[in-house]
Amino acid sequence: MKLIKLEPGLKYDGSQIKPMWAFQSLGVKGSSIVSWIGPMNVQPDELIDYEDVGLEIKSDEMIHFIIEHFDAQPADMRLCYHRQRILIMIVQDLLQEIGIKTHRKGDDLYCDEGKLSVSVATCSASSMKIHFAMNLTSQGTPKKVKTVGLLECSTELDIDEISKLPDKISKTYKDEIQDIEEDIAKTRVF
């Protein structure tokens, strides 16, 4: 699995969840995790989750992750959702390590009562895709949703720690998936 960290500034608009985005936009072939810091504004025609229809999905600044797996053919929606939850639990553990206590409801993380993250999982004929993002601040988020950003969850968190967080999350996720693959390869079946 390839780990790619982009320069800050790319706006997540929903098009990045489409299959083969990393290959078509960045030349990255195969399973990958692409991370970056940037705004988000998903237009209604780019929504994937039917529960989100009619909602505003936006933020001025977030840490984004786009994960694409090609290892199951045909792509498996259930496996994709399991991997999404693994990612979110990894993020929750790593945030705890830097002093940010969160609680999880499904595929969302909350700090106190504020919604910290957004996420979606989907499949195409050839791959499984996950988008996960966390607010850095609550600026630019929908008025109808109580949101919070990482910088508002901790007064001790600085930009240096934030810039290291995507790398640590990506590597930990990659290692977890690899560890599962190694466990499968060493287990006798009947």
Side-chain angles (χ1 to χ4, degrees), residues 85 88 92 103-110 112-113 117:
R85 300 295 169 92
I88 290 160
Q92 188 175 28
H103 63 279
R104 182 178 65 87
K105 293 180 187 172
D107 61 3
D108 292 318
L109 291 177
Y110 292 80
D112 294 323
E113 295 304 312
S117 68

Side-chain angles (χ1 to χ4, degrees), residues 19-178:
M20 309 290 285
W21 170 78
F23 179 63
Q24 293 173 339
S25 299
L26 308 170
V28 178
K29 191 187 300 185
S31 296
S32 63
I33 304 172
V34 180
S35 65
W36 74 94
I37 293 174
M40 178 176 67
N41 191 357
V42 180
Q43 298 302 309
D45 59 333
E46 295 289 350
L47 290 173
I48 292 180
D49 189 332
Y50 288 119
E51 285 186 342
D52 293 339
V53 172
L55 299 177
E56 286 184 300
I57 302 177
K58 62 182 187 170
S59 180
D60 284 354
E61 196 169 30
M62 303 184 88
I63 300 174
H64 296 275
F65 298 86
I66 290 287
I67 299 173
E68 188 164 25
H69 287 278
F70 291 93
D71 59 341
Q73 298 299 319
D76 183 330
M77 184 72 85
R78 180 167 278 109
L79 177 58
C80 189
Y81 271 100
H82 281 251
R83 287 176 171 174
Q84 178 197 39
R85 300 295 169 92
I86 288 171
L87 171 68
I88 290 160
M89 287 184 234
I90 286 169
V91 171
Q92 188 175 28
D93 287 348
L94 293 176
L95 290 176
Q96 179 74 34
E97 286 179 14
I98 60 172
I100 298 175
K101 183 169 175 36
T102 61
H103 63 279
R104 182 178 65 87
K105 293 180 187 172
D107 61 3
D108 292 318
L109 291 177
Y110 292 80
C111 183
D112 294 323
E113 295 304 312
K115 191 169 189 282
L116 177 64
S117 68
V118 296
S119 188
V120 67
T122 189
C123 289
S124 70
S126 65
S127 70
M128 295 172 278
K129 296 283 301 261
I130 299 166
H131 172 246
F132 174 77
M134 291 182 288
N135 294 314
L136 290 183
T137 73
S138 56
Q139 293 179 333
T141 59
K143 302 284 187 236
K144 294 180 179 181
V145 179
K146 182 175 168 112
T147 60
V148 68
L150 288 171
L151 294 171
E152 298 153 349
C153 292
S154 171
T155 57
E156 298 173 21
L157 191 63
D158 62 24
I159 199 69
D160 187 47
E161 279 184 294
I162 287 174
S163 67
K164 292 176 186 172
L165 197 53
D167 297 333
K168 194 166 186 178
I169 291 168
S170 294
K171 183 178 182 327
T172 305
Y173 178 82
K174 175 186 175 183
D175 291 348
E176 188 71 30
I177 297 300
Q178 182 62 41

